Amino acid sequence: MATAANVGKLTEQKSVNCMNGLTRVVEEEKIPVEVEPKTGISFPIKMSDGKQLNCVGMRKKSMFGLSLKIYGFGIYADNEKLQDVMKSKIRKSPEKPTKEMYQAFIDSDVGMMVRLVIVYSGLTMSMVRKSFDECLGAAIKKLTGDKKNEDIANKIMGQAKDDIKLTPGSIIEIARLPGFVLETKVMGEVVSKVESELVCRAYMYMYLGEDPFDKDARERFGTTLLCLF
């Protein structure tokens, strides 16, 4: 959830055709945002479909012997339905976030979306695909105690073309849709849709499981879950 210290406004602009044939840009509305402090990336606190921002964080990776900032991320969810899930699975509000609370969300079919905003300037689509396949495969293995199911993991970004340019500020959105469908968009273009409960659970596990990308983000998401009781 957004805090007073890191909430700002994002001005949304649109083009308007004038009578003289010219086009001018006008401010449409100011959207409250939360700023991820380690990357400076701004995330709207609410999406157009009503999903709310529950935490922000940063993904870093060791490359070339260095710890590099790869992308900032924000996790959005349908908090009304999430509240119903929490109250049905957890009878009494705990004093602090529990493993059962995170697992209830991971296993649920509640609509959610993770927005990734690229920070690292040397990132390519093939690097993203390789890293994603490895992380998702490892998460599937942890959840099943079995093999990685690489065939499933490789489908997530399989249609994303290598010539897609991922400059700083590029946006990737990966959403869990009703029916356990994981949809991936790169710069607004749908590159894959995979219907798999296991894949949806594994993707959530990467961010909210026992070894998350950003532990602080996981804790903030847990605080949001507590507030739903």
Side-chain angles (χ1 to χ4, degrees), residues 64-76:
F64 316 117
L66 301 172
S67 180
L68 303 176
K69 298 178 182 179
I70 305 301
Y71 60 77
F73 66 84
I75 300 180
Y76 295 81

Side-chain angles (χ1 to χ4, degrees), residues 105-119:
F105 176 71
I106 290 171
D107 294 341
S108 76
D109 194 21
V110 172
M112 59 74 55
M113 185 266 287
V114 182
R115 169 176 283 193
L116 320 177
V117 182
I118 304 302
V119 175

